[in-house]
């Protein structure tokens, strides 16, 4: 950090600060005789910057360095709070997802009521019906999508005992159009209890 402050101070100070006052330019050798007026060394007069201007610039750089150091020190000691505020600001400023389907019309039929959507409900939703889980529920969930509730009774190769169990709860089934967000997870959505 000290190297950074020293480099900043050197870069911020004016170029005249690097020239010793009164040193002038080095003398150039002259090809003219010494008696001529042109033989006199050419000295350029540089205006010296005011002393208070140099001290103000150095003080400003020093004050800025201390200010930056103080801010960085405070941020370092309050990392968690700053991260929390930054995250909250990001969430508050983020636009609401325009394409999210928050209010699915058949949400209650995905396992939150005594009726089950046969196209979108997960296999776990059938646990509430004795005898349905796992075999009859798996038959319903691994086939489809269905156009109406009666389609589940026409699945080929199903044992008549399983069809009788499914028929027992026919009044508890509803059939909404298959929603890609739910249909793909009917057999295993990663939730086991």
């Amino acid at each position: 950090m000290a190297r950074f402050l020293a480099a900043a101070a050197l870069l911020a100070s004016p170029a005249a600060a690097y020239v010793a006052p009164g040193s002038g330019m080095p003398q150039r050798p002259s090809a003219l005789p010494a008696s001529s007026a042109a033989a006199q060394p050419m000295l350029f007069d540089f205006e010296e910057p005011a002393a208070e201007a140099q001290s103000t610039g150095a003080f400003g750089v020093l004050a800025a360095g201390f200010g930056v150091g103080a801010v960085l020190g405070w941020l370092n000691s309050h990392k968690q709070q700053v991260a929390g505020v930054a995250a909250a600001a990001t969430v508050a400023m983020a636009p609401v997802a325009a394409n999210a389907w928050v209010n699915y019309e058949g949400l209650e039929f995905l396992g939150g009521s005594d009726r089950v959507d046969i196209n979108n409900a997960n296999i776990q939703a059938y646990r509430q019906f004795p005898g349905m889980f796992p075999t009859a529920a798996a038959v319903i969930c691994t086939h489809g999508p269905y156009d109406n509730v009666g389609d589940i009774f026409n699945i080929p190769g199903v044992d008549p005992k399983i069809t009788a169990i499914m028929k027992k709860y026919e009044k508890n089934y509803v059939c909404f159009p298959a929603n890609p967000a739910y249909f793909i997870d009917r057999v295993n959505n990663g939730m086991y209890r």
Side-chain angles (χ1 to χ4, degrees), residues 8 54 84 88 93 99 129 152 159 169-170:
Q54 284 182 353
M93 299 300 287
N99 297 331
F129 308 123
I152 63 172
D159 187 350
Y169 299 105
E170 183 176 7

Side-chain angles (χ1 to χ4, degrees), residues 106-128:
L107 190 62
E108 66 182 88
F109 303 114
L110 298 179
S113 72
D114 63 340
R115 300 184 74 195
V116 176
D117 180 3
I118 60 173
N119 274 333
N120 299 304
N122 185 273
I123 193 170
Q124 299 291 329
Y126 295 95
R127 283 181 171 260
Q128 62 184 319

Side-chain angles (χ1 to χ4, degrees), residues 5-6 9 18 21 65 68 129 137 144 173-174 180 190:
L5 290 176
Y18 300 111
V68 168
F129 308 123
Y173 305 139
V174 294

Side-chain angles (χ1 to χ4, degrees), residues 10-112:
L10 289 174
L11 291 174
S13 62
Y18 300 111
V19 179
S23 66
M25 297 282 294
Q27 294 183 0
R28 289 177 49 185
S30 175
L32 297 176
S35 63
S36 93
Q40 297 297 324
M42 297 178 64
L43 297 176
F44 297 102
D45 289 333
F46 291 106
E47 289 186 28
E48 297 279 333
E52 62 270 357
Q54 284 182 353
S55 64
T56 303
F59 178 73
V61 169
L62 187 61
F66 281 121
V68 168
V71 169
L72 291 176
W74 184 85
L75 288 173
N76 189 31
S77 65
H78 293 86
K79 288 178 201 171
Q80 193 167 11
Q81 291 88 349
V82 171
V85 169
T90 301
V91 168
M93 299 300 287
V96 177
N99 297 331
W101 191 354
V102 177
N103 294 324
Y104 171 64
E105 64 186 41
L107 190 62
E108 66 182 88
F109 303 114
L110 298 179

Side-chain angles (χ1 to χ4, degrees), residues 106-168:
L107 190 62
E108 66 182 88
F109 303 114
L110 298 179
S113 72
D114 63 340
R115 300 184 74 195
V116 176
D117 180 3
I118 60 173
N119 274 333
N120 299 304
N122 185 273
I123 193 170
Q124 299 291 329
Y126 295 95
R127 283 181 171 260
Q128 62 184 319
F129 308 123
M132 283 288 293
F133 184 84
T135 309
V139 168
I140 295 173
C141 290
T142 55
H143 293 82
Y146 306 105
D147 293 325
N148 56 49
V149 174
D151 288 348
I152 63 172
F153 306 117
N154 299 327
I155 299 171
V158 177
D159 187 350
K161 293 178 185 176
I162 302 299
T163 305
I165 293 172
M166 292 188 305
K167 202 130 183 83
K168 180 178 174 184

Side-chain angles (χ1 to χ4, degrees), residues 124 127 190-193:
Q124 299 291 329
R127 283 181 171 260
M191 296 173 50
Y192 301 106
R193 294 229 175 238

